[in-house]
Amino acid sequence: MKFGDILQETYTALSANKIRSGLTVLGIVIGISSVIAMVSIGQGAQSSIQSSIQSLGSNLIEITPGAQGGPGSQVSSGRGTARSLTQGDADAIASQVTNIAAVASEVSGRYQITARGTNTNTSVDGVTSAYPQIRNIQIAEGSFITDQENTSLAKVAVLGPTARDDLFGVGAVGVVGQIIRIKNLEFTVIGITVSKGSSGFNNQDDMIYIPATSAEQYLAGNQYLSTIDVQATDASVMTQVQNDITDLLLTRHNISNPAQADFSVLNESTLLATANSITQTFTILLAAVAGISLIVGGIGIMNMMLTTVTERTREIGLRKAIGAKQGDISLQFLTEAVALTLVGGTIGIILGVAISLGVSYSGVIHTTVSWIAIVLAFGVSAIIGIIFGYYPARRAASLNPIEALRYE
Amino acid sequence: MIEIKDITKTYGSGEMALQALKGVSFTINDGEFVAIMGPSGSGKSTLMHILGCLDIPTSGTYFLDGKDVSKMEDDELAEIRKDKIGFVFQSFNLLPRTTVLRNVMLPLIYAGVDEENREERASTSLLAAGLTKTHFSHLSNELSGGQIQRVAIARALVNDPSLILADEPTGNLDSKTGEIVLSTFQELNEKQGCTVVLITHEQHVAAHARRIITLRDGVILSDHRNRPGQTT
Ligand SMILES: Nc1ncnc2c1ncn2[C@@H]1O[C@H](COP(=O)(O)OP(=O)(O)O)[C@@H](O)[C@H]1O
Ligand SMILES: [Mg+2]
């Protein structure tokens, strides 16, 4: 029997019962499209998290106060609230650890800010001059905080675009030189940063930067830092820099057991790896749920094919009587099953791609549909057709022609 | 040529065993028109299944054109049916939702005949079975009972079989249509020299044949030439 003939038989058989074929195909459509949509949403989430981590700064190592945590350690006091890092630590790192491009100190807090009658509550970050380089921050207007302003405890502020919008109105101009009040102290605006977009955990646009020393003196009221940001010269020296910093700070803080460190050193690439593995697990979970619906679709195919074989028993007997071999019969029914899944697979791929484009368009997550996912989905639907079509096809082929002809 | 010798067929086993054929032997030469007669339950259909290579005998031998087909496997039997045998059943002869032409082409499709030849051969045998070109594109469910049987005859003919087997082909037809179908068999036998074996329990149907084999309880009761004056 030629392939063209089998296709014609398949078409006749499937179009004879369009509603049933359609519903069976729907099961596969749902399965395949959800696999594709879920995988692409998962991958989109992964790359969005990746890029927001990378936007924190390249080759970044963050040192925060507080216990390291980990198995067997005491419950740590909240990271960032502990008081253990000082400007002395930051200076020591800058002068004693090799392969460092820049070091910046941060003293962060949230305060009530007022300006010309408007009022908002936002993050105020006391920083040093290296901060923009490490954190990939650019200045749109005016200038950033200088070392001179840090030494002189100047009351100057650089606004993120969101903070600017909140205080002076959306897109306000001529903000540089205006006065804002932080904790009722007057600060002069000296610059506005370029928007970095709001993707990520913390919105870097809704920020006010002031000199770190001013933050210690006027806002925090103590000499402790909330973060030391270190930029390594190269991605390949991250581990060495991290280890050297840990050793240096342990010595400076007189701690002999690294497990009892009163600070933690967070390497951006470890953060990236952790986030990746989380999103990957998440993607696999989503794909697995979608995969289950694909299996349910496959069972739908099998159910339909078994019904069809029973209904067409006499037809099978007739075909056998006029010379169809077992192989001809099983191939015919297998082709019907595979045709159903391939049609379902094709529609499912189109629908899945449409869903992920829709998600991208809506702006929630920028999804990425990979070719591998499409090819895989197509292959999987063909395999499902073969697996779930095999048993009904074998059953049809092995029918005894006499019994089949006699069947009422 | 059909040569069967001491054919038996037992259904089931043990207590439930039922011997439908109890040693049947005969020879049918090429070009004969034979009716197999007998009351219901006498083993006619069982014999026809064996003659048609749809089933194999429990014991005995069956030579079809000199080839022993009594111990063949499923797919080998299918091969024989495809090449040598054409069937006309009492009912459910045609595939539903399929045109007359395609129904007749079906044996050729399984035989791997290419497309141009298929259509030509199918229309030749449809015309030989007394149908006209206007019927070719009809769906099988748009035909009358008599037309269905003639399409079935055309399909049985299409691959030049050694043997055309018909099991109660007029069983579902009124007597007038039945006569037309029977005369179609007669004509094919006389004009084209097809070997036809007709199974029936009705005397007037058997009367169309030139030889009548009568079965009763799985054995041959009589085997005689029908009507004088015909060539043997
Ligand atoms: N597949 C079968 N299984 C069991 N018994 C059968 C089967 N086919 C036929 N028989 C029995 O064999 C006997 C002959 O049946 P059959 O050949 O159909 O007779 P006929 O066609 O002359 O009416 C009957 O008693 C019938 O019940
Ligand atoms: Mg019968």
Side-chain angles (χ1 to χ4, degrees):
Chain A
M1 203 172 177
K2 298 192 176 83
F3 190 60
D5 295 317
I6 292 177
L7 287 188
Q8 186 168 354
E9 297 288 338
T10 303
Y11 176 77
T12 314
L14 294 183
S15 57
N17 211 326
K18 292 196 183 68
I19 291 177
R20 187 200 289 169
S21 305
L23 288 174
T24 310
V25 163
L26 189 62
I28 297 295
V29 169
I30 291 170
I32 293 283
S33 61
S34 51
V35 167
I36 289 186
M38 290 306 147
V39 168
S40 67
I41 288 170
Q43 284 178 338
Q46 184 162 353
S47 55
S48 125
I49 288 171
Q50 239 167 36
S51 72
S52 67
I53 287 174
Q54 273 156 355
S55 78
L56 296 177
S58 48
N59 304 332
L60 177 72
I61 292 168
E62 256 187 26
I63 304 135
T64 48
Q68 202 108 41
S73 73
Q74 298 287 312
V75 173
S76 64
S77 57
R79 204 194 270 160
T81 59
R83 292 168 178 182
S84 60
L85 295 176
T86 60
Q87 187 58 39
D89 290 329
D91 295 339
I93 291 167
S95 58
Q96 291 174 38
V97 177
T98 53
N99 294 323
I100 284 180
V103 176
S105 308
E106 286 184 62
V107 181
S108 356
R110 271 191 96 81
Y111 302 99
Q112 201 67 28
I113 325 286
T114 55
R116 288 201 319 209
T118 56
N119 129 28
T120 180
N121 185 289
T122 191
S123 301
V124 176
D125 215 2
V127 296
T128 52
S129 62
Y131 188 84
Q133 177 196 341
I134 297 176
R135 292 291 193 168
N136 287 338
I137 285 172
Q138 267 135 36
I139 291 295
E141 228 180 295
S143 57
F144 201 75
I145 292 148
T146 61
D147 289 337
Q148 164 62 33
E149 281 155 347
N150 250 304
T151 322
S152 65
L153 277 69
K155 287 186 190 150
V156 294
V158 174
L159 304 185
T162 308
R164 187 260 329 263
D165 292 350
D166 289 347
L167 290 167
F168 294 98
V170 175
V173 289
V175 172
V176 173
Q178 302 263 17
I179 301 295
I180 60 170
R181 298 176 80 87
I182 306 173
K183 236 182 145 184
N184 258 331
L185 293 166
E186 288 190 352
F187 283 74
T188 311
V189 177
I190 57 164
I192 309 287
T193 64
V194 172
S195 171
K196 291 188 80 175
S198 63
S199 69
F201 315 108
N202 51 349
N203 187 345
Q204 293 188 73
D205 289 347
D206 190 11
M207 274 284 187
I208 294 174
Y209 304 101
I210 61 171
T213 49
S214 310
E216 287 174 343
Q217 180 72 28
Y218 305 126
L219 304 180
N222 61 50
Q223 303 295 305
Y224 294 105
L225 302 178
S226 33
T227 315
I228 301 173
D229 299 324
V230 176
Q231 186 178 35
T233 49
D234 193 83
S236 62
V237 299
M238 296 284 277
T239 318
Q240 170 253 314
V241 172
Q242 186 181 11
N243 291 340
D244 288 359
I245 290 171
T246 308
D247 291 345
L248 176 66
L249 292 183
L250 286 172
T251 317
R252 282 181 58 87
H253 295 188
N254 291 320
I255 297 165
S256 52
N257 180 1
Q260 285 168 356
D262 57 358
F263 58 89
S264 44
V265 181
L266 194 70
N267 179 334
E268 184 207 306
S269 54
T270 354
L271 187 66
L272 205 58
T274 311
N276 271 352
S277 84
I278 291 169
T279 49
Q280 234 154 44
T281 311
F282 188 61
T283 307
I284 290 169
L285 188 76
L286 286 177
V289 171
I292 289 169
S293 70
L294 197 53
I295 292 174
V296 173
I299 293 170
I301 296 267
M302 187 145 161
N303 187 25
M304 163 172 174
M305 292 312 296
L306 285 175
T307 313
T308 306
V309 169
T310 309
E311 276 179 1
R312 286 157 69 191
T313 301
R314 298 195 71 177
E315 175 193 325
I316 294 163
L318 183 63
R319 286 177 186 276
K320 286 195 146 189
I322 62 176
K325 291 191 183 162
Q326 294 202 356
D328 294 321
I329 301 289
S330 62
L331 195 59
Q332 181 184 342
F333 282 89
L334 204 54
T335 310
E336 282 178 28
V338 173
L340 286 173
T341 52
L342 286 187
V343 169
T346 308
I347 300 172
I349 286 168
I350 294 168
L351 189 65
V353 171
I355 289 171
S356 45
L357 288 180
V359 169
S360 269
Y361 190 73
S362 74
V364 182
I365 288 174
H366 184 81
T367 62
T368 20
V369 180
S370 67
W371 277 106
I372 300 171
I374 289 178
V375 171
L376 213 65
F378 208 71
V380 163
S381 63
I383 288 169
I384 281 180
I386 292 171
I387 290 174
F388 289 98
Y390 182 79
Y391 172 65
R394 279 311 308 162
R395 202 154 125 164
S398 60
L399 279 177
N400 179 341
I402 302 168
E403 297 299 327
L405 282 168
R406 198 195 287 269
Y407 184 86
E408 290 300 336
Chain B
M1 196 169 79
I2 294 167
E3 299 164 274
I4 60 170
K5 210 163 171 2
D6 298 328
I7 291 281
T8 69
K9 181 70 186 179
T10 308
Y11 290 115
S13 58
E15 296 264 305
M16 297 295 290
L18 187 140
Q19 201 170 26
L21 294 176
K22 300 168 180 163
V24 175
S25 307
F26 56 71
T27 299
I28 296 173
N29 288 311
D30 289 347
E32 279 197 84
F33 188 171
V34 183
I36 295 177
M37 268 202 66
S40 185
S42 55
K44 303 185 297 295
S45 292
T46 303
L47 182 57
M48 134 130 182
H49 292 149
I50 291 170
L51 290 180
C53 296
L54 287 165
D55 204 357
I56 51 171
T58 308
S59 71
T61 57
Y62 173 15
F63 283 86
L64 179 61
D65 293 340
K67 197 168 182 179
D68 188 359
V69 297
S70 48
K71 286 165 195 73
M72 283 186 164
E73 297 292 324
D74 234 29
D75 273 356
E76 293 174 288
L77 289 173
E79 194 81 25
I80 300 286
R81 293 197 293 270
K82 186 181 77 191
D83 294 336
K84 296 190 179 291
I85 295 163
F87 288 97
V88 180
F89 299 104
Q90 179 174 348
S91 60
F92 201 82
N93 268 302
L94 305 183
L95 291 187
R97 302 174 303 272
T98 307
T99 64
V100 164
L101 193 64
R102 190 157 173 93
N103 261 295
V104 176
M105 289 194 309
L106 208 57
L108 302 177
I109 289 172
Y110 285 120
V113 174
D114 50 46
E115 252 161 289
E116 310 91 78
N117 285 334
R118 255 184 224 170
E119 197 159 333
E120 198 182 303
R121 283 168 65 177
S123 41
T124 309
S125 66
L126 274 164
L127 295 173
L131 289 140
T132 60
K133 278 225 187 307
T134 53
H135 295 121
F136 288 11
S137 56
H138 281 46
L139 294 180
S140 50
N141 36 319
E142 298 165 357
L143 302 176
S144 71
Q147 284 170 332
I148 288 176
Q149 291 311 74
R150 284 199 275 173
V151 174
I153 293 171
R155 189 193 56 212
L157 277 178
V158 77
N159 204 19
D160 290 328
S162 316
L163 172 63
I164 293 177
L165 276 171
D167 192 359
E168 310 265 12
T170 59
N172 285 354
L173 304 178
D174 60 79
S175 57
K176 192 159 157 265
T177 321
E179 283 302 314
I180 297 172
V181 170
L182 289 170
S183 57
T184 309
F185 277 113
Q186 231 168 351
E187 213 173 274
L188 290 171
N189 172 252
E190 280 160 18
K191 290 193 180 147
Q192 309 203 1
C194 303
T195 313
V196 178
V197 174
L198 185 71
I199 284 154
T200 182
H201 64 275
E202 292 177 291
Q203 185 64 49
H204 73 272
V205 174
H208 286 263
R210 283 184 280 164
R211 176 181 169 191
I212 299 176
I213 297 173
T214 311
L215 278 185
R216 176 153 299 160
D217 294 333
V219 292
I220 292 179
L221 197 68
S222 70
D223 182 350
H224 64 269
R225 303 284 147 198
N226 190 24
R227 287 189 231 159
Q230 289 193 335
T231 52
T232 47

